[in-house]
Amino acid sequence: GPHYIHGYVNQSFSNEESAGHSLVARARQFSSFILMVGTISAADTVSPKHAVIVKDRDEVIIPLLLKPLPTAKESKDAISSLSPEQQRFAKAFREMQLESSL
């Protein structure tokens, strides 16, 4: 059957607060599908991280925690006063965050 991939770009101005967002999936009676959440790892590849089967009038509501990542300069400034070991950890953590974003 058909496959659908949806994306979301959250644009806001610096003085705006973002509203809470949720991923809502609902199945009709006698139907089912697999909802996968993951990252786009290449132009034609999706790497699923989590999945759930939604069937027979099930409804799944997943609250999304959308926090913008700091810029490279903000990140560098924030960790400049840390110890070398803490800086290595913070850099590794930032790389992990960037790895799963577009």
Side-chain angles (χ1 to χ4, degrees), residues 34-78:
I34 299 172
L35 174 66
M36 294 187 296
V37 178
T39 57
I40 299 172
S41 53
D44 59 351
T45 307
V46 175
S47 299
K49 302 289 183 199
H50 305 282
V52 63
I53 297 173
V54 185
K55 64 179 184 125
D56 296 329
R57 294 188 179 177
D58 284 346
E59 180 178 61
V60 176
I61 302 172
I62 303 170
L64 301 177
L65 305 174
L66 303 175
K67 294 183 181 179
L69 296 176
T71 64
K73 184 180 181 336
E74 290 172 337
S75 180
K76 188 175 181 180
D77 291 345

Side-chain angles (χ1 to χ4, degrees), residues 3-93:
H3 297 77
Y4 300 98
I5 295 179
H6 300 280
Y8 174 74
V9 176
N10 186 19
Q11 294 180 329
S12 64
F13 296 101
S14 60
N15 59 353
E16 291 181 0
E17 281 194 36
S18 68
H21 293 82
S22 295
L23 175 63
V24 179
R26 237 178 254 118
R28 295 181 178 174
Q29 187 175 11
F30 307 119
S31 68
S32 63
F33 61 91
I34 299 172
L35 174 66
M36 294 187 296
V37 178
T39 57
I40 299 172
S41 53
D44 59 351
T45 307
V46 175
S47 299
K49 302 289 183 199
H50 305 282
V52 63
I53 297 173
V54 185
K55 64 179 184 125
D56 296 329
R57 294 188 179 177
D58 284 346
E59 180 178 61
V60 176
I61 302 172
I62 303 170
L64 301 177
L65 305 174
L66 303 175
K67 294 183 181 179
L69 296 176
T71 64
K73 184 180 181 336
E74 290 172 337
S75 180
K76 188 175 181 180
D77 291 345
I79 67 170
S80 63
S81 63
L82 299 176
S83 71
E85 183 179 355
Q86 290 172 323
Q87 285 184 6
R88 284 192 302 275
F89 175 80
K91 287 176 184 176
F93 186 78

